Every structure is written in structure tokens, then in C-alpha cells.
Amino acid sequence: MRKLRMGMVGGGTGSFIGDVHRKAAAIDGLIELVCGAFSSSAERSVQSGRALFLPENRCYGSFEEMIRAEKELPVGERMDFIAITTPNHMHFAPAKMALQNGFHVVCDKPMTLTIAEAGELISIVEETGLLFALTHNYTAHPMVRQAKAMVAHGDLGKIRKIQVQYLQGWLATSVESTDNKQAAWRTDPSKSGIGGALGDIGTHAENLTEFITGLKISELAADLGRFGEGRVLDDDGNILLRMDNGAKGTMSFSQIAAGEENNLAIRVYGEKGSLEWQQENPNQLITRWLDQPKKIFTPNGNGLYPEAATLSRIPAGHPEGYLEAFATVYRSFAQHLTAVLEGTTLQNTGYPSVYDGLRGLQFISAAVHSDSNNAAWTKLP
């Protein structure tokens, strides 16, 4: 009967995603930030910790120092888990060390740089029994959960066709050559991995597709683009999908689509009807049917499955969005971890896991392999 204690890796002053994690973790009052290694510089880490009103002795110069020091604290004081909010290349090492030292993990996606690293984390999670959450936040929107429930209950009939897109325009110019840290590391293969936009937003499209439909991508044919001057990594892509039930799909993602902001959208077509969800209008799920009028579902509206109806925090008509969905991932993780610490039984309540992290790496690898072979059809495990 207490708040869970969170330590943060990365996410110092000026970090976009670190601030998102802190706000999302705090929304439901289940988690408090108690320590952090907020920067690769010990001085900047302390400065960031002070700005967050943390005691200086809980602001560490590195994640290694933090994990070792927190492990030595009494059980009633030490952190319960770490949240990793660093660029991609700094996900694996702190996750591995935290798990090996008895700490649970929340991590940004992609989970690691390579499939081998992902497999190693899975082995440690399975050996230790510790919890691992991956922040694929879009799966936690109430209307995404409604979409998933409708498919699972057979409302749409057998799924035949999927169209998914994730379009941004913030890399339409060479902003990485300016003082834009977000662009600099995302276009650097040593920090981002083998996928550029593919790993950054394509994995969200992949995860949302498999989450809503309950299907797996069995094969893909990928055509990746590199439009920014001098860019090594992809900043655009189009992928044909074959699902494991025989359905067909198309995926389009881009970070050079001029004028686009965060246009993640999915359409799923079944034998009886279809559904459409757009991240920029997240509180509406549009459904269309062969034998009845179009219907729009909203949070707290009528006809929702329990999987969706229980997620909304505020009355109908009040907007819920990005932070609330992120917070739902944290809330689900916190409920699970609290049960573990209290010795009661509670299964994963819906947050993405280490296995979703592996799936994302498999998707990236298959798409890069396909593109390098002139968009050849490539199987996924």
C-alpha cells in the first residue's frame, strides 16, 4: 500500500520523452520518481535531478552507479524499477544490468539495437521472473482497445485487408545538421540501429496492426527511401504485408511527408464490416457495416466492450490523448508490479512486453533485408 519508486535512465533537462514518462507515470498517483541517471554527464545529471526536486545523493552520474547504489539501500528505500528513456543504443545495457540486479524495467522502443540483444533480455526476464514493459503507448488508447475487442469477438468477421500509416514531416529538411538532438541521433545508425523512420515510427505501425487484429505478419516486401541529403538510414517507406490468416495489408510510413504532424491511422476490413482509428483524433473509432449504418464509438459511450470501457479517466466528451494512453501503460505495469511485491497473483494487464520488443526487432530486420534485395518477399519468424 505505497507508491512504487521509479529510477530514470536518461530523460534529463530538455528531453522530450523523459518528460513524457515522468508525467505519464505520475497521472494515476501510483508511482513516484526517487532517483535518476539523467545524462551521460554527471554534472548535468545532478542539475536535472535538482530541477526535479530530488536529493543530490539520488542523482547519479551513470546508470551503472545508480543500479549499484540503489541495490545497497534498504528494501524500503531503494527504487523498485527503472524507466529507460535514452536513445536506442542505450536501451540494452541498462535494461540488462537492472534485471541482473533484481530491478524491474520499463523501456522505450525499439527495445534494443539487435535481435540478439532482444533475445538476451528475454532470457533474463524468463530466468528472473522480473517484469518488463515496453512503451508502445498507442495500444493503450480506449478506442484502440475497443477495436481490438471488436475483432477478437468476431464483430467484423474474418479479417481480409489492413491499411496502416504513420506519416510525419519533421525530417523533410536536413534538421540533423542544425542543433536538433532528436534528429541527430535518429539519423545516426550507431545510435538508432539499422532502421531510421522504420524503427522510430514503423514499429508503432507494426505493433498497432498486430495488436488490433490479433494476427501476425508472416511475410513482407519493403521499399525504403532515403530522401534527406547524405542520410544513411531510411526516412520513408512502403511495405506490403501478408498476414498469417491470409489477409493482405499495406503500410506506409514517412518522416519527410511535408506538413504531416503525427498521422498514425489504421483501417481494418473484415467480411462483415470495417473499422478506422486515427491517432490525431483518438477519441473516435469509426465502424462501417454491410447491413447497417456507420457507427462511431467514443470513450464512455454506449456499446463498449469492458476492455475499452474501463480505461477512461474522465467524463464523456473530454479529450483523452497521448499522455493518458502513455499513463495507461504505466498504470497497467504498476498494478502488476504492486501485485508481485505484495505476493498476490495478477497477470500482465495489457501492457506491451519484452516479447513485443523482440517482434519489433524482427520486423525491422525483415524490412531492411527485403529492401536490400529489391523489395523481395521476406518471412518473419
Side-chain angles (χ1 to χ4, degrees):
M1 298 297 294
R2 63 170 176 82
K3 289 187 177 183
L4 296 173
R5 296 183 288 267
M6 178 175 77
M8 180 166 279
V9 180
T13 302
S15 165
F16 159 68
I17 200 64
D19 196 41
V20 168
H21 276 259
R22 286 188 289 272
K23 289 174 180 175
I27 281 178
D28 291 295
L30 302 176
I31 297 168
E32 61 179 333
L33 178 68
V34 297
C35 64
F38 301 103
S39 172
S40 56
S41 159
E43 182 181 0
R44 290 198 299 271
S45 181
V46 171
Q47 290 173 349
S48 294
R50 284 175 179 164
L52 295 167
F53 307 104
L54 293 177
E56 190 165 323
N57 67 335
R58 301 293 289 274
C59 304
Y60 300 101
S62 68
F63 73 84
E64 294 97 338
E65 179 190 354
M66 181 178 79
I67 292 171
R68 285 194 294 265
E70 291 292 315
K71 188 177 182 180
E72 294 301 315
L73 292 176
V75 173
E77 297 178 20
R78 71 176 66 147
M79 65 182 181
D80 296 303
F81 72 96
I82 68 167
I84 301 171
T85 66
T86 57
N88 300 352
H89 71 297
M90 285 300 297
H91 289 178
F92 173 68
K96 178 181 177 180
M97 185 175 179
L99 292 168
Q100 290 177 328
N101 284 273
F103 295 107
H104 307 270
V105 175
V106 174
C107 185
D108 264 341
K109 40 62 54 194
M111 185 169 73
T112 60
L113 286 189
T114 68
I115 291 175
E117 289 176 345
E120 189 170 348
L121 288 186
I122 287 177
S123 295
I124 299 172
V125 167
E126 291 178 344
E127 289 168 5
T128 62
L130 295 169
L131 306 188
F132 190 107
L134 193 70
T135 51
H136 270 301
N137 55 297
Y138 298 114
T139 62
H141 281 280
M143 293 300 92
V144 169
R145 295 292 176 89
Q146 173 68 9
K148 179 179 179 63
M150 293 180 72
V151 172
H153 284 86
D155 296 356
L156 273 61
K158 182 180 178 181
I159 302 306
R160 292 172 165 174
K161 183 177 180 65
I162 303 159
Q163 292 181 321
V164 62
Q165 66 181 44
Y166 200 154
L167 305 177
Q168 299 175 337
W170 71 289
L171 289 180
T173 60
S174 299
V175 291
E176 64 267 33
S177 61
T178 66
D179 189 26
N180 188 316
K181 294 181 180 179
Q182 297 294 324
W185 76 257
R186 281 179 168 83
T187 55
D188 180 351
S190 69
K191 295 180 172 63
S192 186
I194 61 174
L198 173 69
D200 193 24
I201 59 177
T203 49
H204 275 304
E206 167 268 322
N207 180 258
L208 193 65
T209 296
E210 295 194 337
F211 181 81
I212 288 177
T213 65
L215 303 174
K216 295 293 184 184
I217 300 169
S218 59
E219 290 183 280
L220 58 77
D223 182 21
L224 307 180
R226 298 158 186 84
F227 289 96
E229 184 177 354
R231 281 183 191 152
V232 177
L233 296 177
D234 63 274
D235 50 23
D236 182 82
N238 297 290
I239 304 179
L240 295 177
L241 307 174
R242 291 174 179 166
M243 311 304 291
D244 60 0
N245 77 328
K248 308 294 185 181
T250 61
M251 177 187 297
S252 179
F253 59 88
S254 182
Q255 292 179 320
I256 52 89
E260 295 285 2
E261 294 179 345
N262 206 60
N263 190 355
L264 171 61
I266 186 169
R267 299 174 183 87
V268 179
Y269 298 89
E271 295 172 321
K272 303 175 185 178
S274 64
L275 58 82
E276 176 182 354
W277 181 79
Q278 299 177 354
Q279 192 277 153
E280 291 183 346
N281 188 19
N283 295 318
Q284 290 192 352
L285 176 67
I286 301 170
T287 62
R288 300 177 176 88
W289 308 94
L290 291 177
D291 56 357
Q292 55 184 300
K294 177 173 72 174
K295 182 174 182 179
I296 299 176
F297 292 90
T298 59
N300 287 310
N302 295 324
L304 296 183
Y305 283 105
E307 297 94 315
T310 57
L311 292 191
S312 296
R313 295 173 175 81
I314 50 182
H318 294 76
E320 295 183 76
Y322 180 78
L323 281 176
E324 288 85 356
F326 225 108
T328 295
V329 174
Y330 266 101
R331 182 174 64 185
S332 298
F333 174 79
Q335 290 169 339
H336 193 185
L337 179 51
T338 296
V340 169
L341 296 178
E342 293 179 349
T344 58
T345 301
L346 180 68
Q347 299 302 313
N348 181 327
T349 53
Y351 60 85
S353 73
V354 67
Y355 302 103
D356 296 289
L358 172 62
R359 188 64 179 167
L361 270 295
Q362 292 170 337
F363 168 75
I364 293 170
S365 177
V368 170
H369 180 270
S370 172
D371 176 68
S372 65
N373 287 277
N374 198 28
W377 283 102
T378 302
K379 293 184 180 296
L380 271 75

